[in-house]
Amino acid sequence: MSALHIKKGATKHSAYNLRPSFSDVQERHTIAVLVENEPGVLARVIGLFSGRGYNIESLTVAEVDHTGHLSRITIVTTGTPQVIEQIKAQLGRIVSVHEVHDLTVEGASVERELAMLKVVGDGEKRVEALRLADIFRANVVDSTLSSFVFEITGAPEKIDAFADLMRPLGLSEIARTGIAALMRGD
Amino acid sequence: MLVQALKDQGVDTVFGYPGGAVLPIYDEIFQQNDVRHVLVRHEQGAVHAAEGYARSTGKPGVVLVTSGPGATNAVTGLTDALMDSIPIVVFTGQVPTFMIGSDAFQEADTVGITRPCTKHNWLVKDTNTLSGVIHEAFHVATSGRPGPVLVDIPKDVQFATGTYTKPSPTASHYQPRVKGDLEEITELVAAMEKAKRPVFYTGGGVINSGPAASQLLRELVDATGFPITSTLMGLGAYPASGKNWLGMLGMHGLYEANLAMHDCDLLINIGARFDDRITGRIDAFSPKSTKAHIDIDPSSINKVIKTDIPIVGDVAHVLEDMLKVWKSRGRKTNAEAVAKWHMKINDWRKVDCLAFTAGDKTIKPQQALARLEALTKGRDRYITTEVGQHQMWAAQYLTFEDPNRWMTSGGLGTMGYGFPASIGVQMAHPESLVINVAGEASWLMNMQEMGTAVQYRLPVKQFILNNERLGMVRQWQELLHGERYSHSWSEALPDFVKLAEAFGAKGIICKDPADLDDAIMEMIDHDGPVIFDCLVEKHENCFPMIPSGKAHNEMLLGEAETQGVIQAGGAVLV
Ligand SMILES: Cc1cc2nc3c(=O)[nH]c(=O)nc-3n(C[C@H](O)[C@H](O)[C@H](O)COP(=O)(O)OP(=O)(O)OC[C@H]3O[C@@H](n4cnc5c(N)ncnc54)[C@H](O)[C@@H]3O)c2cc1C
Ligand SMILES: Cc1ncc(C[n+]2csc(CCOP(=O)(O)OP(=O)(O)O)c2C)c(N)n1
């Protein structure tokens, strides 16, 4: 027996996973990040999320300012308010990051995503698919006698709904761009 | 071009190791005398040496290594520097641009591998951009929260000629904010005027900020009379002899420091990051206090502990403004309450948590350090450490009057850090007494650097507290794993005296407490590198200790019967 009062081998406590208990509410935020358009910049951002265990629901990136060499990354993420704050602060630390904006808190914003869906089928199903596409304002960008490729733009939920309807009608492939978002107004 | 850029950045020393992919740069180095190159014996050693150089001078440390294995060997040092916010610039050679991606000889995706362990890194593909990138690398490493950066230079880019640009401080978009928000600062000052039980909790950020920050901190602490504690990384920013000094806090911090943190009503964090070694159980951390946090990195604020008064800025800038505001508002404090607070702290101090009984047959590690302290105090002294119990005892029993005198691996806890770091410190301060307080196991991790110490006649003192155990691991196994000492023995140890002699250095062995003082003096007086093999008590535990997952007021004080402070039978949960 040792002279210590704590029971030997009694505690399973580890110093390494002591997370504070701030709020537990999970929030969904859309974050816009303006970055230097240089090799590896996307790896830096993605590495930050995987390395620190943050979620990525959607991520899009493209150059938006050719002369200024700037790209815009739009990330949709979920986490507790404290985690969201950390994500923004951690993004801000990356040397190639110029600006970080939380579109969810900085004011009203619009979010859009583009998707292409291939639907394979014939007869009644084919007609039904076309009818639904019309209701959803999806465009036909390719067609054969047994298939369509639809293009649809909208909020992610609208695309989810459209895909759900297409599934029994022969949905065979889907490609989505991820979310692009801008603040409303000037 | 690289050497020219280094000169323009004021670099005088480079720690490195050559190889095929950096031969053109080594050729340049050969043909000049302004930049000294120190040939280490392992690339990890180069990075730790650069860290020691950087931490002891406040200037960035510079490293040059080859591609592939040279670069991968540097990874531990880079991660260490990232965790401890040490400014380092590492140059790696790379295979020529036209061979990148072909699994060429000694090719590694260096920027990919080091992306998560550098503050930033660059692969230079065009010689015309090389000098600009190098200047930017120094700027990024030293601005804001300092850290390691890496520049990967393919061999064809080294050979090619290009245009050189001089450094220009405004060229970079990376300009972190250094001035704190005046409103927040005023809010903090107002809280300080009213506080009954305030405490300053300071950290490595004060050292990072530079000597002016330490100076301002001293002024503020002495003017307000508030007690002050510091993390492992911030030791020396406020002098250990200062009357408001509480000693280090945290897992192995002092009783009075931790209880002051627990009971305070105003906690002022200056350049520290609420590390888990400090907070212990988060929901029981300093439950009664308003918390202010001064940090240059917004991500440090609210990362772990909710902050009431966040101030983003550089310590020196913020302290200067704080002092101005506090003075202009009439230099007020709640002096009566603060005096009472000091009385309470003095009661805790009486527990004398660092008391130990010196051995008469075997040397206690605490005793070895207390004697080292007594015999070297007041000298122009720099201390580095390895990682383990000895590191904590060094932090407890050695005292620091000035910043930049204490170099230790805190965040990553890298065994093998201390010896190369001592080499880097000695390079920067050739006339000073540089001592690496080591454990035998840690020391062996980079012992090849004996070659470097001897080659460059660096009189570094390797003070090894040899318990023939991986002591810190053994202590955790004793406390948490039912005394099952799984692989925590240092078996097959070398004869350290012979080892020293084999390298052409001096070895001293000491096992009798009666010989300790003479042996230490012999070590100090020897003009050259020394390995001091101090055989100490094998199963000594390091106290005080807050077991992980516990709160500050649940500290273990030690095998108390030997101290007679608390009732016989053991450690006390206060
Ligand atoms: C075996 C072992 C045991 C340990 N036990 C303890 C222990 O008991 N007590 C203890 O204290 N530590 C202990 N440590 C060390 C611990 O792990 C951490 O490394 C240490 O506590 C962190 O110190 P810090 O908070 O001062 O932060 P640092 O890592 O030094 O970080 C500095 C902070 O200051 C900020 N900063 C940097 N520059 C500036 C500037 N110019 N202006 C403003 N802010 C700036 C940074 O953003 C950062 O947030 C131990 C380590 C080991 C290996
Ligand atoms: C590179 C590395 N590997 C493993 C560890 C885990 N570790 C922490 S302390 C320690 C034992 C250190 O033993 P020693 O250097 O003899 O010092 P002591 O604790 O006995 O003073 C170990 C293995 C570490 N910190 N670093």
Side-chain angles (χ1 to χ4, degrees), chain B residues 505-523:
Chain B
K506 183 181 177 66
I508 299 173
I509 184 164
C510 181
K511 51 188 163 211
D512 187 341
D515 299 338
L516 189 57
D517 279 22
D518 287 346
I520 290 175
M521 285 315 295
E522 191 186 347
M523 171 183 87

PDB file of all heavy atoms in Angstrom, chain B residues 505-523:
ATOM      1  N   ALA B 505      35.202  14.194 -23.804  1.00  0.00           N
ATOM      2  CA  ALA B 505      34.690  15.172 -22.843  1.00  0.00           C
ATOM      3  C   ALA B 505      34.954  14.658 -21.437  1.00  0.00           C
ATOM      4  O   ALA B 505      35.552  13.598 -21.248  1.00  0.00           O
ATOM      5  CB  ALA B 505      33.194  15.397 -23.060  1.00  0.00           C
ATOM      6  N   LYS B 506      34.482  15.438 -20.436  1.00  0.00           N
ATOM      7  CA  LYS B 506      34.716  15.037 -19.053  1.00  0.00           C
ATOM      8  C   LYS B 506      33.462  14.377 -18.495  1.00  0.00           C
ATOM      9  O   LYS B 506      32.340  14.826 -18.737  1.00  0.00           O
ATOM     10  CB  LYS B 506      35.053  16.285 -18.238  1.00  0.00           C
ATOM     11  CG  LYS B 506      35.401  15.995 -16.786  1.00  0.00           C
ATOM     12  CD  LYS B 506      35.704  17.303 -16.059  1.00  0.00           C
ATOM     13  CE  LYS B 506      35.979  17.084 -14.585  1.00  0.00           C
ATOM     14  NZ  LYS B 506      37.222  16.307 -14.344  1.00  0.00           N
ATOM     15  N   GLY B 507      33.657  13.315 -17.730  1.00  0.00           N
ATOM     16  CA  GLY B 507      32.540  12.664 -17.058  1.00  0.00           C
ATOM     17  C   GLY B 507      32.743  12.714 -15.556  1.00  0.00           C
ATOM     18  O   GLY B 507      33.866  12.600 -15.066  1.00  0.00           O
ATOM     19  N   ILE B 508      31.660  12.935 -14.819  1.00  0.00           N
ATOM     20  CA  ILE B 508      31.717  12.937 -13.351  1.00  0.00           C
ATOM     21  C   ILE B 508      30.587  12.059 -12.866  1.00  0.00           C
ATOM     22  O   ILE B 508      29.460  12.167 -13.352  1.00  0.00           O
ATOM     23  CB  ILE B 508      31.518  14.371 -12.792  1.00  0.00           C
ATOM     24  CG1 ILE B 508      32.620  15.310 -13.285  1.00  0.00           C
ATOM     25  CG2 ILE B 508      31.450  14.358 -11.271  1.00  0.00           C
ATOM     26  CD1 ILE B 508      32.390  16.775 -12.921  1.00  0.00           C
ATOM     27  N   ILE B 509      30.861  11.199 -11.917  1.00  0.00           N
ATOM     28  CA  ILE B 509      29.782  10.435 -11.312  1.00  0.00           C
ATOM     29  C   ILE B 509      29.700  10.826  -9.844  1.00  0.00           C
ATOM     30  O   ILE B 509      30.723  11.054  -9.194  1.00  0.00           O
ATOM     31  CB  ILE B 509      29.982   8.907 -11.484  1.00  0.00           C
ATOM     32  CG1 ILE B 509      28.772   8.158 -10.931  1.00  0.00           C
ATOM     33  CG2 ILE B 509      31.260   8.425 -10.828  1.00  0.00           C
ATOM     34  CD1 ILE B 509      28.691   6.705 -11.392  1.00  0.00           C
ATOM     35  N   CYS B 510      28.488  10.940  -9.337  1.00  0.00           N
ATOM     36  CA  CYS B 510      28.328  11.323  -7.945  1.00  0.00           C
ATOM     37  C   CYS B 510      27.175  10.534  -7.350  1.00  0.00           C
ATOM     38  O   CYS B 510      26.073  10.524  -7.906  1.00  0.00           O
ATOM     39  CB  CYS B 510      28.062  12.829  -7.855  1.00  0.00           C
ATOM     40  SG  CYS B 510      27.889  13.390  -6.162  1.00  0.00           S
ATOM     41  N   LYS B 511      27.429   9.816  -6.247  1.00  0.00           N
ATOM     42  CA  LYS B 511      26.335   9.078  -5.632  1.00  0.00           C
ATOM     43  C   LYS B 511      26.210   9.350  -4.145  1.00  0.00           C
ATOM     44  O   LYS B 511      25.198   9.035  -3.537  1.00  0.00           O
ATOM     45  CB  LYS B 511      26.473   7.578  -5.899  1.00  0.00           C
ATOM     46  CG  LYS B 511      27.821   6.998  -5.567  1.00  0.00           C
ATOM     47  CD  LYS B 511      27.880   5.545  -6.057  1.00  0.00           C
ATOM     48  CE  LYS B 511      29.324   5.083  -6.117  1.00  0.00           C
ATOM     49  NZ  LYS B 511      29.577   4.108  -7.147  1.00  0.00           N
ATOM     50  N   ASP B 512      27.232   9.949  -3.552  1.00  0.00           N
ATOM     51  CA  ASP B 512      27.217  10.197  -2.114  1.00  0.00           C
ATOM     52  C   ASP B 512      26.819  11.656  -1.866  1.00  0.00           C
ATOM     53  O   ASP B 512      27.460  12.560  -2.393  1.00  0.00           O
ATOM     54  CB  ASP B 512      28.629   9.925  -1.567  1.00  0.00           C
ATOM     55  CG  ASP B 512      28.653   9.991  -0.048  1.00  0.00           C
ATOM     56  OD1 ASP B 512      27.716  10.591   0.546  1.00  0.00           O
ATOM     57  OD2 ASP B 512      29.618   9.463   0.535  1.00  0.00           O
ATOM     58  N   PRO B 513      25.769  11.864  -1.065  1.00  0.00           N
ATOM     59  CA  PRO B 513      25.354  13.246  -0.798  1.00  0.00           C
ATOM     60  C   PRO B 513      26.509  14.111  -0.292  1.00  0.00           C
ATOM     61  O   PRO B 513      26.562  15.313  -0.579  1.00  0.00           O
ATOM     62  CB  PRO B 513      24.286  13.097   0.288  1.00  0.00           C
ATOM     63  CG  PRO B 513      23.785  11.711   0.155  1.00  0.00           C
ATOM     64  CD  PRO B 513      24.911  10.883  -0.384  1.00  0.00           C
ATOM     65  N   ALA B 514      27.439  13.503   0.401  1.00  0.00           N
ATOM     66  CA  ALA B 514      28.558  14.273   0.958  1.00  0.00           C
ATOM     67  C   ALA B 514      29.463  14.832  -0.138  1.00  0.00           C
ATOM     68  O   ALA B 514      30.148  15.837   0.060  1.00  0.00           O
ATOM     69  CB  ALA B 514      29.366  13.385   1.909  1.00  0.00           C
ATOM     70  N   ASP B 515      29.478  14.175  -1.297  1.00  0.00           N
ATOM     71  CA  ASP B 515      30.354  14.635  -2.385  1.00  0.00           C
ATOM     72  C   ASP B 515      29.687  15.633  -3.316  1.00  0.00           C
ATOM     73  O   ASP B 515      30.331  16.169  -4.222  1.00  0.00           O
ATOM     74  CB  ASP B 515      30.773  13.432  -3.258  1.00  0.00           C
ATOM     75  CG  ASP B 515      31.535  12.400  -2.461  1.00  0.00           C
ATOM     76  OD1 ASP B 515      32.096  12.778  -1.410  1.00  0.00           O
ATOM     77  OD2 ASP B 515      31.544  11.227  -2.868  1.00  0.00           O
ATOM     78  N   LEU B 516      28.387  15.822  -3.109  1.00  0.00           N
ATOM     79  CA  LEU B 516      27.592  16.529  -4.121  1.00  0.00           C
ATOM     80  C   LEU B 516      28.135  17.924  -4.448  1.00  0.00           C
ATOM     81  O   LEU B 516      28.364  18.249  -5.620  1.00  0.00           O
ATOM     82  CB  LEU B 516      26.132  16.608  -3.635  1.00  0.00           C
ATOM     83  CG  LEU B 516      25.095  17.120  -4.628  1.00  0.00           C
ATOM     84  CD1 LEU B 516      25.094  16.290  -5.902  1.00  0.00           C
ATOM     85  CD2 LEU B 516      23.702  17.090  -4.001  1.00  0.00           C
ATOM     86  N   ASP B 517      28.379  18.717  -3.423  1.00  0.00           N
ATOM     87  CA  ASP B 517      28.816  20.094  -3.671  1.00  0.00           C
ATOM     88  C   ASP B 517      30.138  20.148  -4.441  1.00  0.00           C
ATOM     89  O   ASP B 517      30.276  20.898  -5.406  1.00  0.00           O
ATOM     90  CB  ASP B 517      28.960  20.861  -2.347  1.00  0.00           C
ATOM     91  CG  ASP B 517      27.607  21.369  -1.864  1.00  0.00           C
ATOM     92  OD1 ASP B 517      26.577  20.789  -2.295  1.00  0.00           O
ATOM     93  OD2 ASP B 517      27.574  22.329  -1.065  1.00  0.00           O
ATOM     94  N   ASP B 518      31.084  19.342  -4.002  1.00  0.00           N
ATOM     95  CA  ASP B 518      32.388  19.344  -4.676  1.00  0.00           C
ATOM     96  C   ASP B 518      32.253  18.915  -6.129  1.00  0.00           C
ATOM     97  O   ASP B 518      32.876  19.493  -7.032  1.00  0.00           O
ATOM     98  CB  ASP B 518      33.364  18.400  -3.967  1.00  0.00           C
ATOM     99  CG  ASP B 518      33.828  19.000  -2.641  1.00  0.00           C
ATOM    100  OD1 ASP B 518      33.602  20.223  -2.447  1.00  0.00           O
ATOM    101  OD2 ASP B 518      34.382  18.251  -1.813  1.00  0.00           O
ATOM    102  N   ALA B 519      31.419  17.903  -6.329  1.00  0.00           N
ATOM    103  CA  ALA B 519      31.251  17.401  -7.697  1.00  0.00           C
ATOM    104  C   ALA B 519      30.613  18.465  -8.583  1.00  0.00           C
ATOM    105  O   ALA B 519      31.019  18.665  -9.733  1.00  0.00           O
ATOM    106  CB  ALA B 519      30.404  16.127  -7.685  1.00  0.00           C
ATOM    107  N   ILE B 520      29.607  19.151  -8.043  1.00  0.00           N
ATOM    108  CA  ILE B 520      28.960  20.203  -8.840  1.00  0.00           C
ATOM    109  C   ILE B 520      29.967  21.309  -9.169  1.00  0.00           C
ATOM    110  O   ILE B 520      30.031  21.799 -10.302  1.00  0.00           O
ATOM    111  CB  ILE B 520      27.725  20.772  -8.100  1.00  0.00           C
ATOM    112  CG1 ILE B 520      26.609  19.724  -8.062  1.00  0.00           C
ATOM    113  CG2 ILE B 520      27.219  22.040  -8.793  1.00  0.00           C
ATOM    114  CD1 ILE B 520      25.383  20.131  -7.255  1.00  0.00           C
ATOM    115  N   MET B 521      30.782  21.679  -8.175  1.00  0.00           N
ATOM    116  CA  MET B 521      31.785  22.725  -8.427  1.00  0.00           C
ATOM    117  C   MET B 521      32.782  22.277  -9.485  1.00  0.00           C
ATOM    118  O   MET B 521      33.211  23.067 -10.336  1.00  0.00           O
ATOM    119  CB  MET B 521      32.522  23.092  -7.129  1.00  0.00           C
ATOM    120  CG  MET B 521      31.699  23.940  -6.158  1.00  0.00           C
ATOM    121  SD  MET B 521      30.792  25.310  -6.931  1.00  0.00           S
ATOM    122  CE  MET B 521      32.157  26.330  -7.501  1.00  0.00           C
ATOM    123  N   GLU B 522      33.144  20.999  -9.424  1.00  0.00           N
ATOM    124  CA  GLU B 522      34.076  20.474 -10.427  1.00  0.00           C
ATOM    125  C   GLU B 522      33.462  20.593 -11.827  1.00  0.00           C
ATOM    126  O   GLU B 522      34.138  20.972 -12.787  1.00  0.00           O
ATOM    127  CB  GLU B 522      34.379  19.005 -10.104  1.00  0.00           C
ATOM    128  CG  GLU B 522      35.522  18.432 -10.912  1.00  0.00           C
ATOM    129  CD  GLU B 522      35.681  16.927 -10.666  1.00  0.00           C
ATOM    130  OE1 GLU B 522      35.080  16.396  -9.700  1.00  0.00           O
ATOM    131  OE2 GLU B 522      36.410  16.297 -11.456  1.00  0.00           O
ATOM    132  N   MET B 523      32.172  20.305 -11.896  1.00  0.00           N
ATOM    133  CA  MET B 523      31.467  20.412 -13.178  1.00  0.00           C
ATOM    134  C   MET B 523      31.488  21.855 -13.690  1.00  0.00           C
ATOM    135  O   MET B 523      31.806  22.114 -14.852  1.00  0.00           O
ATOM    136  CB  MET B 523      30.017  19.944 -13.016  1.00  0.00           C
ATOM    137  CG  MET B 523      29.139  20.205 -14.228  1.00  0.00           C
ATOM    138  SD  MET B 523      27.421  19.733 -13.979  1.00  0.00           S
ATOM    139  CE  MET B 523      26.758  21.234 -13.236  1.00  0.00           C
TER     140      MET B 523
END
